[in-house]
Amino acid sequence: MTLDPASLEKNLDLLENIEKATLRLVVQAICDFRTDASDIFLREQDLVADIGEDITREALDRLGTSAIPLRLFGKIDYKKARYIFHPDYSVRQALFVDSKAEKEDDARSITIQTAQTSMMIRQKRGGADIQEAGTLPKLVTAVLSGQACAFLTTTIFVKYTYREKAGGGNELVSIRVVCLPNGMLQERYNPSVQDTIWLVGRNAPSRGEVFRVRIGLQRLKDKANWRVQCITQAPTPSFLWDD
């Protein structure tokens, strides 16, 4: 039986389990590729953001998944329509994975655009209450085999933290893989401006810059520890799933 993703609004625990299983998939792909990732960061001369994007795509493509032949759209690096299979159900998923790369002195947050989340962003900014809607849909609707179908939106971020080496090149220090909740989980993760997972973004409204926000990684971990996983690279690669 193929589960209707819209029904998950009434079964949030199952929705969380689907997101957790998806995070495990992405973490496994990055873990399997982490030695190559360190070598690529050291040798590659491209912009670090492009390097991170390439690593994520190659890691996920190498692991593979039960893909559905459908093109997804959005301001996210890696997009894949796929099936998730469970002994009791299957569900269609729109998997979005975005890559970031920043120096090691900024490992506590991830900056995103409103187009990269289906949540309502509720926070205080400059003393004012902010409620900014994410523009990524909770469910993606597309035509499959001549029939309109819903796909569960799942958004994951991979943040590569690095340091510049004195002799040239970059040393990959750690990789954080983060699952941002689907907007159906709004009341669990960001019910109010006081109870929030967000930090103020790096945009200046006075200069007309587009609204951005940062995921506060510790705030998200405080809500659900498993949603932020850290893969250590330097000095020795290591990983233990943090539940």
Side-chain angles (χ1 to χ4, degrees):
M1 152 183 175
T2 301
L3 188 69
D4 177 8
S7 69
L8 294 169
E9 191 120 38
K10 297 181 180 178
N11 193 343
L12 297 181
D13 288 342
L14 179 56
L15 172 54
E16 296 241 32
N17 285 339
I18 291 171
E19 292 192 331
K20 189 174 186 178
T22 305
L23 181 63
R24 282 189 180 274
L25 168 80
V26 178
V27 168
Q28 187 66 59
I30 300 297
C31 268
D32 289 350
F33 199 70
R34 59 189 173 185
T35 301
D36 298 278
S38 289
D39 189 58
I40 292 168
F41 253 88
L42 182 63
R43 299 174 183 274
E44 185 59 70
Q45 299 300 311
D46 286 348
L47 296 174
V48 288
D50 295 336
I51 295 171
E53 181 180 340
D54 289 345
I55 290 171
T56 298
R57 181 178 291 107
E58 188 168 347
L60 287 167
D61 286 346
R62 183 179 291 189
L63 183 64
T65 186
S66 49
I68 298 173
L70 180 72
R71 179 179 289 276
L72 298 175
F73 299 93
K75 293 185 176 181
I76 292 183
D77 302 334
Y78 182 93
K79 301 173 279 288
K80 181 77 70 175
R82 72 182 197 115
Y83 282 110
I84 295 176
F85 294 107
H86 183 274
D88 298 323
Y89 63 86
S90 64
V91 64
R92 288 180 292 266
Q93 181 184 58
L95 174 61
F96 296 93
V97 184
D98 201 67
S99 303
K100 313 287 183 181
E102 296 185 17
K103 293 183 179 180
E104 62 178 329
D105 57 352
D106 187 16
R108 70 187 187 103
S109 67
I110 295 176
T111 301
I112 70 167
Q113 306 173 45
T114 55
Q116 295 177 322
T117 180
S118 60
M119 296 185 72
M120 174 73 73
I121 298 160
R122 295 170 175 161
Q123 64 174 177
K124 283 190 172 292
R125 184 175 290 202
D129 291 356
I130 299 294
Q131 295 203 65
E132 189 81 20
T135 59
L136 193 65
K138 301 171 189 175
L139 302 175
V140 173
T141 303
V143 176
L144 186 64
S145 301
Q147 183 178 1
C149 299
F151 292 73
L152 174 66
T153 298
T154 304
T155 311
I156 292 178
F157 295 90
V158 183
K159 179 171 181 176
Y160 299 90
T161 304
Y162 68 95
R163 67 170 69 102
E164 295 177 348
K165 292 180 69 69
N170 297 303
E171 181 181 25
L172 184 58
V173 177
S174 63
I175 308 169
R176 284 172 176 79
V177 190
V178 179
C179 184
L180 188 62
N182 182 282
M184 286 188 271
L185 293 161
Q186 182 76 45
E187 296 308 308
R188 287 191 175 187
Y189 288 89
N190 183 206
S192 68
V193 296
Q194 291 83 17
D195 189 353
T196 185
I197 61 172
W198 307 106
L199 300 173
V200 174
R202 294 187 181 88
N203 66 292
S206 60
R207 285 185 249 162
E209 294 179 352
V210 176
F211 181 89
R212 288 178 182 267
V213 70
R214 290 183 295 154
I215 306 168
L217 300 186
Q218 188 57 55
R219 290 184 178 186
L220 184 56
K221 280 183 73 67
D222 289 343
K223 292 281 187 179
N225 198 51
W226 62 265
R227 284 189 177 271
V228 180
Q229 300 293 327
C230 183
I231 303 168
T232 302
Q233 292 294 103
T236 305
S238 65
F239 174 72
L240 181 65
W241 179 267
D242 191 2
D243 226 353

